[in-house]
Amino acid sequence: EAQVTQNPRYLITVTGKKLTVTCSQNMNHEYMSWYRQDPGLGLRQIYYSMNVEVTDKGDVPEGYKVSRKEKRNFPLILESPSPNQTSLYFCASTTNRDAFSYEQYFGPGTRLTVT
Amino acid sequence: DQQVKQNSPSLSVQEGRISILNCDYTNSMFDYFLWYKKYPAEGPTFLISISSIKDKNEDGRFTVFLNKSAKHLSLHIVPSQPGDSAVYFCAASAGGAQKLVFGQGTRLTINP
C-alpha cells in the first residue's frame, strides 16, 4: 500500500529536550516536505527536499532542522524545542515525474506538545 | 502575509444541497490550485485540482472553478453528503510540485 508514515503520532516533551519526528514514504517520490498546522493559520511549510541531500527552507523554518540521506526518509529535528512549537505536524511527498500533477501525499500527522 | 485565504472558517449545509467553499489568493504567479480534504486524526487527502489555463474542472460531485481576474477559486459539492463533513484546504503552487501554499481551511458540516 502506497503511504507516508510518521512516528511518533503523539509526543509530549519538555522545553529544550531534543527530539526527532521520523517520516518515511514507499512511493519512490523525489519531493518531501514538512508542514505544521495551527488554528487559523492552516498548513505552513517548514522545510522541503527535492531529492537526496537537497533541502531548502519553507515559510517557517526557524527552530527546525531536516536531513535527507535516503530517498524514502525525511526526519524533522527539533534541537531545542520551545512551547511555540506545539503544533500538529505533517510530512508529505510527491513526484516530479508527472509535470501536470502537483498532488502531495500526506502522512497521518504528529501531535507535538512542548511544556 | 497570507497569500491564500479562506475567509469562512466554517460552513453548514443541508444534506443534498450544494456546498460552495471559497478561496482567494494574492500571488499572480500561482499557476496550479488544489483542494484537500481532512478528517480528524488523519492527514489531508487530495480532492481535485485545476491549472491556471482552465477555468473549470469536474470530478464526479466535485467541481472547482477558477476566476483568474478576481484571483478567486471555489469548490462546489453537489449533492452534499454526510461523509463530506471535513475540513477543506485550498492550496496553490507557483511553478513547482514541491512548494504548496495553503489556506487556513474551512470546516464543512453536512446536516442530515
Side-chain angles (χ1 to χ4, degrees):
Chain A
E1 179 191 354
Q3 60 182 349
V4 179
T5 57
Q6 295 178 227
N7 282 293
R9 294 289 311 277
Y10 302 91
L11 179 59
I12 301 174
T13 189
V14 295
T15 298
K17 186 176 181 183
K18 180 179 179 179
L19 67 92
T20 299
V21 184
T22 65
C23 173
S24 183
Q25 51 92 6
N26 63 0
M27 294 168 279
N28 201 35
H29 284 167
E30 294 80 14
Y31 298 143
M32 297 186 75
S33 292
W34 276 103
Y35 295 86
R36 59 179 288 174
Q37 182 190 354
D38 301 291
L41 297 175
L43 290 154
R44 294 179 294 168
Q45 192 176 49
I46 303 170
Y47 268 95
Y48 64 95
S49 169
M50 295 180 67
N51 215 321
V52 176
E53 302 290 1
V54 181
T55 62
D56 207 348
K57 296 178 181 178
D59 298 316
V60 288
E62 295 77 19
Y64 304 95
K65 283 177 59 177
V66 293
S67 68
R68 187 93 181 274
K69 293 183 169 38
E70 305 166 282
K71 197 172 187 179
R72 63 183 293 126
N73 296 323
F74 190 43
L76 179 70
I77 303 156
L78 285 73
E79 296 259 353
S80 183
S82 62
N84 65 11
Q85 293 178 299
T86 292
S87 187
L88 180 57
Y89 291 86
F90 290 101
C91 180
S93 72
T94 190
T95 180
N96 62 357
R97 289 191 288 274
D98 182 350
F100 301 102
S101 174
Y102 289 177
E103 174 186 349
Q104 292 198 9
Y105 296 82
F106 283 81
T110 295
R111 184 164 292 282
L112 172 66
T113 302
V114 184
T115 62
Chain B
D1 178 29
Q2 194 86 22
Q3 296 185 71
V4 178
K5 293 183 183 179
Q6 294 175 255
N7 292 316
S8 298
S10 63
L11 177 67
S12 186
V13 174
Q14 206 72 19
E15 181 179 358
R17 300 288 188 113
I18 183 171
S19 295
I20 300 176
L21 294 94
N22 294 303
C23 181
D24 297 298
Y25 62 95
T26 57
N27 188 345
S28 57
M29 299 300 291
F30 288 144
D31 60 0
Y32 202 82
F33 304 88
L34 307 90
W35 284 94
Y36 280 82
K37 177 178 181 179
K38 184 185 179 304
Y39 292 121
E42 295 183 11
T45 55
F46 171 74
L47 189 58
I48 192 169
S49 62
I50 188 167
S51 164
S52 60
I53 62 174
K54 296 185 176 181
D55 54 19
K56 178 181 173 181
N57 188 27
E58 282 183 85
D59 184 2
R61 296 185 298 114
F62 303 92
T63 303
V64 56
F65 295 92
L66 175 62
N67 182 334
K68 289 187 290 294
S69 60
K71 293 192 177 67
H72 176 84
L73 67 155
S74 61
L75 174 68
H76 292 210
I77 306 174
V78 183
S80 300
Q81 300 174 353
D84 296 329
S85 294
V87 176
Y88 289 78
F89 291 99
C90 68
S93 170
Q98 72 278 14
K99 195 159 173 58
L100 293 182
V101 180
F102 284 83
Q104 306 96 311
T106 296
R107 181 177 302 279
L108 175 65
T109 303
I110 306 301
N111 302 306

